Amino acid sequence: MERDSQLKLYRVVADRLKEAHTVVRELQVPEGVRMALSRKLLVITAAAKHDLADAARRLDRLMKDLDEGRFPEDD
């Protein structure tokens, strides 16, 4: 049973990461900001391999920041 819930969580996080990549790609922001956001998504993806719950929390925070118009500084 626990394995099934873990697989469902993987699927949810994977779908949300895919959606987040689309959102970042479509943002009208300077290229440096887009690159910083893409790096954050890559870090979250890597984290999902080791700690899925933490990756989900990080993704929640990132998406909330994007929704509220908070972006990283341009490199």
Side-chain angles (χ1 to χ4, degrees):
M1 184 90 148
E2 183 179 328
R3 180 171 163 75
D4 289 341
S5 64
Q6 187 78 355
L7 288 175
K8 288 178 187 177
L9 184 56
Y10 271 112
R11 173 53 106 183
V12 168
V13 171
D15 288 345
R16 292 184 59 230
L17 277 167
K18 184 177 178 181
E19 179 183 326
H21 277 280
T22 300
V23 168
V24 167
R25 188 173 46 251
E26 294 175 352
L27 284 174
Q28 299 296 318
V29 295
E31 190 59 29
V33 172
R34 186 181 331 284
M35 288 174 55
L37 290 168
S38 292
R39 282 192 301 272
K40 285 180 180 252
L41 288 172
L42 290 174
V43 168
I44 293 168
T45 301
K49 296 175 185 177
H50 306 285
D51 188 344
L52 191 57
D54 180 54
R57 285 188 296 275
R58 288 179 181 201
L59 185 55
D60 285 341
R61 281 193 308 269
L62 177 62
M63 296 310 293
K64 182 177 183 212
D65 286 346
L66 293 181
D67 288 343
E68 294 176 0
R70 289 191 303 265
F71 304 108
E73 294 293 319
D74 193 357
D75 289 343

